[in-house]
């Protein structure tokens, strides 16, 4: 499975961005997709995850109410809509795929990772 994330960029505080992650290669049913981020000098942290059907989601506290994760199974693509962005959201955002259920917030539970896309939020 290959994952390619895109959609990052520079945005002012309060603005919005939508990240996309396209999966290709050997895809599999039932998998969980997640987004993680890593800010400079900080450890990677969980942002959001979505189950196979798209109806099950889980968010980090920092993302609740501002970010929405969704997926289009027909396009093998997962999205992260980010609204009301803050400077502390600045990070490289990575998408990841997990072969099995359930949703997990631990990065070690995901077998496949994309290359990351940089999000910079200016104050």
């Amino acid at each position: 499975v290959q994952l390619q994330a895109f959609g990052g960029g520079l945005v002012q505080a309060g603005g919005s961005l939508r990240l996309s992650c396209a999966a290709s290669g050997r895809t599999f049913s039932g998998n969980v997709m997640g987004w993680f981020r890593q800010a400079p000098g900080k450890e990677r942290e969980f942002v959001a995850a979505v189950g196979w059907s798209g109806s099950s989601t889980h968010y980090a506290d920092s993302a609740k109410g501002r970010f929405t994760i969704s997926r289009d199974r027909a396009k093998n693509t997962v999205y992260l809509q980010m609204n009301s962005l803050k400077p502390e959201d600045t990070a490289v955002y990575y998408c990841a795929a997990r072969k099995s259920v359930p949703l997990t917030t631990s990065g070690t539970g995901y077998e496949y990772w994309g290359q990351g896309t940089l999000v910079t939020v200016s104050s």
Side-chain angles (χ1 to χ4, degrees):
V1 176
Q2 291 80 46
L3 303 175
Q4 184 173 8
F6 50 95
L10 174 63
V11 64
Q12 289 187 331
S16 299
L17 279 176
R18 188 176 82 154
L19 305 183
S20 301
C21 176
S24 61
R26 182 191 174 198
T27 56
F28 36 82
S29 62
N31 70 317
V32 170
M33 299 292 293
W35 286 97
F36 292 76
R37 68 186 183 186
Q38 186 167 21
K42 295 187 177 180
E43 294 186 352
R44 182 181 63 193
E45 64 177 5
F46 169 79
V47 177
V50 60
W52 171 246
S53 69
S55 60
S56 298
T57 58
H58 186 71
Y59 295 92
D61 287 343
S62 60
K64 287 179 182 177
R66 300 188 300 126
F67 295 1
T68 302
I69 189 171
S70 61
R71 69 189 299 170
D72 183 333
R73 295 200 329 242
K75 296 181 178 180
N76 286 327
T77 299
V78 63
Y79 305 97
L80 185 68
Q81 177 67 42
M82 304 186 295
N83 299 327
S84 301
L85 284 162
K86 305 174 182 179
E88 50 264 43
D89 294 318
T90 295
V92 176
Y93 284 71
Y94 299 90
C95 63
R98 169 178 166 83
K99 290 191 287 187
S100 58
V101 297
L103 275 69
T104 178
T105 63
S106 173
T108 58
Y110 293 78
E111 292 88 357
Y112 305 98
W113 292 83
Q115 83 287 2
T117 184
L118 176 62
V119 172
T120 304
V121 184
S122 62
S123 58

